[in-house]
Amino acid sequence: MKLLRDIWLVFGRYFGLFIRNPAWVALGVLQPLLYLLLFAPLLGPLNKVPGFPTGGAYNVFVPGLLVQLGLFGAAGVGFSLIAELRAGVIERLRVTPVSRVALLLGRALRDIVSITVQSLILILLALPFGLSVNPLGVVVVLALIALIGLFTASISYAVALAVSDEGVYASIVFTASLPILLLSGVLLPLGFAPTWLRNIAALNPLSYAVDAARAVFLAHLTDPSVTKGVAIMLVLSIIAIFIGARAFGRAVA
Amino acid sequence: MDAVIETHGLRRVFKTRKRSVEAVAGVDLTVRSGEIFGFLGPNGAGKTTTLRMLATLMPPSGGSARVAGCDLSTQPDRIRERIGYVGQAGGADREITGRRELVFQGRLYGMSRAKAEKRAAELITMLELEACADRQGKTYSGGQKRRLDIGLGLVHDPQLLFLDEPTTGLDPQSRARVWDEVRRMHDRGTTVFLTTHYLDEADALCDRIAIIDYGKIVAEGTPEELKRDVSGDVVTLTVAGDQQRALDLLKDEPFVREAKLDEGSVLLYVDQGEVSMPAILRLLDGAGLTLQTIGLHRPSLDDVFLRKTGRSLRETPA
């Protein structure tokens, strides 16, 4: 009970900060719009490329874009935490009896809400371009993206607390997320990849999330890759929550 | 009186890749209920590290402590309910209004929204933050910011409040305001544990002081005790005519430890000023010297620090 109340309180604080800042809200909506307007026109001709999965270019790419949004949307969340570390806010919160898990989850929940809303906007905007998806599929995909966001945000916060320096944080997070992204088949399906690259990608948990999202959008909701992708992200998220909450428990800055 | 804080051999070692540094090297101290206890020392002496350990922010590497009646290593959650802590950086967010911060802080301590709002309004009045309570933190002056930070530490009316360098970087007026607030907390029965590297602050504000240097406590007591232990008193006087005559007359008296001329007056270091002054007056009278001015100066805490550590606190980089 206390944990839920604490999560709700912490979420309320950070959601309030977000919602009271019109610029952040506007940027949040703009991002998916940019993905579609500036990237989608490249997709039309791809349908004719031999070996490209059938089901329409949008149904292949939008899942990738969503995973990317989940990953990059949450990769940068540690920046604001470092500013708070410096201002003594985190230390002040850690002296109160508030649950350390709530310090993490309350914030991550805010990030998830923003990522989920952005994802929904992206899906809706893609519909007129020819994306087809059923409502249940949307729910499954949003849950999957939320898990990716939860995982990434928890790790980002743990890194931010560990390094407490914007420059170091940025280089760690972006150096790590780029290969993870490239090796997940987000941009192009790994079906195009040579065997060695596919083998490396098989070690990348995010590639299963991309497979799952793509299966949903290609109308294979019952495909085992969906369950597999969701299960992998769920396990990873739980591990990441442990790491993140531990980092809040012992933050030194 | 009850001890609010009691530590035994409290230690903290920081390990870096190349070496380990003992920031706090076995601290034993007792802070009594209701007192203002000052932790005086230069930067890097281990003041903040000790404070952060006692405030549950950092686990000790060794030793034990009881804070607010609870064991530091096994009951940190219960300690957190009973203490307030105001760090050097403060703790209020720049983007959030003071009132929102106070309400949020109250809710973290389990208050209902209504109760937290009422408490926030009380603190805003008490700390005279009415003018800025509904503005974002970044618009606050240094003094307002500091008072809000202190308010955040007082939301749940803790029995023990930690203040880490509460007046560093403040102008003299804001500094005086913070001192007033600390004294008011003291009057309400709150125990205050503060760190400072200002001698006058430790002297004017604190009931008892511990001087810490290189992670160890080198002296502990009331400011009066500490100063008396170390160096006696200083008597400054001038006579009509030649000061040298007065100096020659007094310098070999048994109660004078040391005597010298300083900027046209005679400086006498004596054991006890109250006892020495009548004797000085008699001697000058007997020699036919007319006293023009006389003053008694207590030794400063800097003298204490100098005596205990071999360095002057004023000379150590702040």
Side-chain angles (χ1 to χ4, degrees):
Chain A
M1 248 346 267
K2 177 177 184 296
L3 176 63
L4 291 180
R5 182 182 184 272
D6 283 353
I7 292 174
W8 181 245
L9 280 174
V10 175
F11 169 75
R13 172 189 176 87
Y14 291 105
F15 189 70
L17 257 177
F18 177 76
I19 215 78
R20 283 195 296 273
N21 192 329
W24 288 359
V25 178
L27 278 176
V29 177
L30 190 66
Q31 249 175 22
L33 201 66
L34 285 177
Y35 273 125
L36 271 178
L37 290 180
L38 303 182
F39 190 60
L42 303 172
L43 300 179
L46 277 173
N47 279 325
K48 302 179 195 84
V49 173
F52 198 79
T54 50
Y58 278 85
N59 285 35
V60 173
F61 274 96
V62 169
L65 288 183
L66 289 171
V67 171
Q68 186 176 356
L69 200 137
L71 185 72
F72 280 176
V77 295
F79 278 111
S80 64
L81 180 67
I82 294 173
E84 283 184 89
L85 272 176
R86 201 164 289 138
V89 180
I90 301 304
E91 197 171 72
R92 162 193 144 209
L93 300 181
R94 289 180 60 238
V95 177
T96 73
V98 69
S99 147
R100 270 89 265 256
V101 177
L103 285 180
L104 171 73
L105 284 184
R107 302 182 76 111
L109 197 61
R110 192 274 311 263
D111 304 330
I112 290 171
V113 167
S114 117
I115 287 167
T116 307
V117 171
Q118 287 184 27
S119 302
L120 196 61
I121 293 171
L122 191 105
I123 292 171
L124 292 176
L125 288 175
L127 288 176
F129 289 89
L131 177 79
S132 57
V133 70
N134 67 23
L136 183 62
V138 172
V139 172
V140 173
V141 161
L142 288 182
L144 186 69
I145 304 306
L147 284 174
I148 294 171
L150 176 59
F151 167 75
T152 314
S154 303
I155 297 295
S156 301
Y157 287 131
V159 171
L161 287 167
V163 301
S164 64
D165 175 280
E166 280 96 344
V168 181
Y169 169 78
S171 56
I172 291 177
V173 166
F174 291 111
T175 311
S177 49
L178 191 62
I180 291 175
L181 193 74
L182 290 176
L183 285 173
S184 66
V186 158
L187 303 177
L188 286 171
L190 283 161
F192 289 132
T195 321
W196 64 267
L197 195 58
R198 247 183 287 180
N199 289 341
I200 302 177
L203 296 174
N204 178 6
L206 204 66
S207 67
Y208 298 96
V210 175
D211 286 347
R214 212 160 260 157
V216 172
F217 275 83
L218 295 173
H220 308 307
L221 253 178
T222 51
D223 194 282
S225 67
V226 177
T227 334
K228 196 172 165 188
V230 172
I232 287 177
M233 285 321 300
L234 192 64
V235 171
L236 284 178
S237 297
I238 291 168
I239 296 171
I241 289 169
F242 270 103
I243 296 172
R246 216 173 125 81
F248 269 100
R250 57 199 282 173
V252 174
Chain B
M1 261 197 280
D2 300 346
V4 174
I5 300 174
E6 207 173 347
T7 76
H8 295 286
L10 202 63
R11 288 174 63 243
R12 174 71 199 195
V13 180
F14 289 107
K15 287 199 179 70
T16 58
R17 231 167 297 169
K18 286 185 182 124
R19 63 206 183 101
S20 69
V21 180
E22 199 168 30
V24 177
V27 161
D28 303 295
L29 59 84
T30 305
V31 177
R32 295 174 199 140
S33 178
E35 72 183 353
I36 302 177
F37 188 88
F39 220 22
L40 177 69
N43 281 355
K47 301 189 298 283
T48 298
T49 306
T50 307
L51 201 71
R52 294 178 44 122
M53 285 194 283
L54 295 175
T56 75
L57 284 168
M58 186 192 278
S61 312
S64 67
R66 288 186 73 78
V67 178
C70 302
D71 185 80
L72 183 61
S73 58
T74 59
Q75 302 171 292
D77 286 329
R78 298 193 52 196
I79 292 176
R80 287 184 189 123
E81 285 166 14
R82 299 169 184 199
I83 63 163
Y85 169 87
V86 183
Q88 270 174 55
D93 196 283
R94 287 171 48 80
E95 309 291 329
I96 301 178
T97 70
R99 190 185 303 275
R100 268 186 215 279
E101 281 290 48
L102 289 166
V103 171
F104 177 67
Q105 187 82 353
R107 303 214 69 204
L108 291 181
Y109 284 100
M111 295 180 197
S112 67
R113 171 160 286 281
K115 194 174 170 218
E117 280 171 357
K118 184 164 168 277
R119 179 64 179 150
E122 270 171 33
L123 286 164
I124 287 165
T125 311
M126 185 181 110
L127 297 165
E128 289 174 38
L129 290 168
E130 293 94 338
C132 59
D134 295 303
R135 294 203 316 252
Q136 287 182 320
K138 61 185 164 197
T139 67
Y140 284 34
S141 71
Q144 288 171 333
K145 166 86 167 55
R146 193 85 303 216
R147 297 209 298 281
L148 173 61
D149 295 337
I150 292 175
L152 289 169
L154 288 175
V155 162
H156 55 304
D157 200 13
Q159 63 180 89
L160 168 63
L161 183 70
F162 291 100
L163 298 172
D164 196 4
E165 309 230 341
T167 64
T168 298
L170 292 186
D171 59 84
Q173 204 186 338
S174 307
R175 218 168 149 226
R177 280 292 322 260
V178 170
W179 286 14
D180 287 345
E181 288 310 329
V182 172
R183 290 189 181 114
R184 280 165 67 184
M185 288 171 221
H186 178 251
D187 292 344
R188 283 194 305 270
T190 309
T191 309
V192 180
F193 185 133
L194 61 88
T195 69
T196 182
H197 59 254
Y198 295 126
L199 297 155
D200 57 337
E201 184 160 286
D203 208 347
L205 200 54
C206 300
D207 299 320
R208 283 197 317 125
I209 296 170
I211 296 179
I212 183 167
D213 194 37
Y214 292 114
K216 283 204 168 83
I217 290 182
V218 294
E220 189 181 344
T222 67
E224 285 310 307
E225 282 166 6
L226 289 175
K227 287 181 289 194
R228 205 163 43 227
D229 278 2
V230 170
S231 49
D233 294 330
V234 188
V235 176
T236 315
L237 60 87
T238 53
V239 292
D242 191 3
Q243 308 299 326
Q244 188 66 43
R245 283 186 61 200
L247 183 68
D248 291 340
L249 174 72
L250 295 165
K251 69 180 179 194
D252 295 323
E253 287 301 317
F255 59 83
V256 176
R257 286 190 194 170
E258 200 188 331
K260 62 178 180 184
L261 283 180
D262 183 51
E263 294 176 10
S265 51
V266 181
L267 235 63
L268 302 171
Y269 294 87
V270 299
D271 291 327
Q272 270 184 295
E274 299 91 331
V275 180
S276 310
M277 277 186 39
I280 292 169
L281 296 180
R282 272 196 309 275
L283 283 163
L284 289 174
D285 231 26
L289 287 166
T290 314
L291 186 66
Q292 284 185 325
T293 64
I294 187 161
L296 176 64
H297 302 267
R298 302 288 178 190
S300 70
L301 283 174
D302 199 30
D303 296 319
V304 179
F305 192 82
L306 179 69
R307 180 72 171 267
K308 295 285 184 183
T309 68
R311 316 194 305 288
S312 165
L313 190 55
R314 292 186 210 282
E315 287 161 12
T316 61

